[in-house]
Amino acid sequence: MSFRDQQKYLDELRKYEKKFDHAELEDYKMFVKMHKDEEEFDSISLQRLTELYEKYYKPVDRHKYDSFFKKKDE
């Protein structure tokens, strides 16, 4: 995983920081510290980061909004 992907995951998880339990919060703080020190994540840390990301980040279903942008038939 590249440095940019790590940054993306950490930025998205920042929004959900209040929902973390104690262990997840400690992991998240460790990831942020490692990222600030510009260390590359090992495979275990990377796996835990992606698990946190997949658990909390739910992309918005944009198909719900298609009806607002369609032209009305006359």
Side-chain angles (χ1 to χ4, degrees):
M1 175 179 286
S2 69
F3 191 77
R4 182 173 287 170
D5 294 333
Q6 290 176 9
Q7 181 68 38
K8 181 184 87 166
Y9 283 174
L10 292 173
D11 285 344
E12 287 296 327
L13 286 174
R14 185 179 300 135
K15 299 174 189 174
Y16 307 104
E17 194 172 352
K18 294 181 181 180
K19 295 182 180 182
F20 294 160
D21 62 9
H22 184 68
E24 292 171 342
L25 184 61
E26 291 299 318
D27 287 343
Y28 176 73
K29 287 181 180 180
M30 179 188 65
F31 296 144
V32 170
K33 186 174 181 180
M34 287 173 59
H35 188 71
K36 284 183 181 178
D37 293 340
E38 296 182 2
E39 292 181 24
E40 196 169 313
F41 289 8
D42 59 347
S43 61
I44 296 171
S45 298
L46 185 59
Q47 181 182 1
R48 284 193 287 179
L49 179 65
T50 54
E51 286 172 359
L52 271 177
Y53 181 78
E54 290 170 356
K55 180 178 178 182
Y56 287 101
Y57 179 73
K58 305 291 185 222
V60 176
D61 183 21
R62 295 194 174 147
H63 294 288
K64 297 187 294 188
Y65 304 113
D66 285 346
S67 63
F68 293 115
F69 298 102
K70 289 185 179 178
K71 291 183 179 180
K72 295 182 180 178
D73 293 334
E74 294 183 324

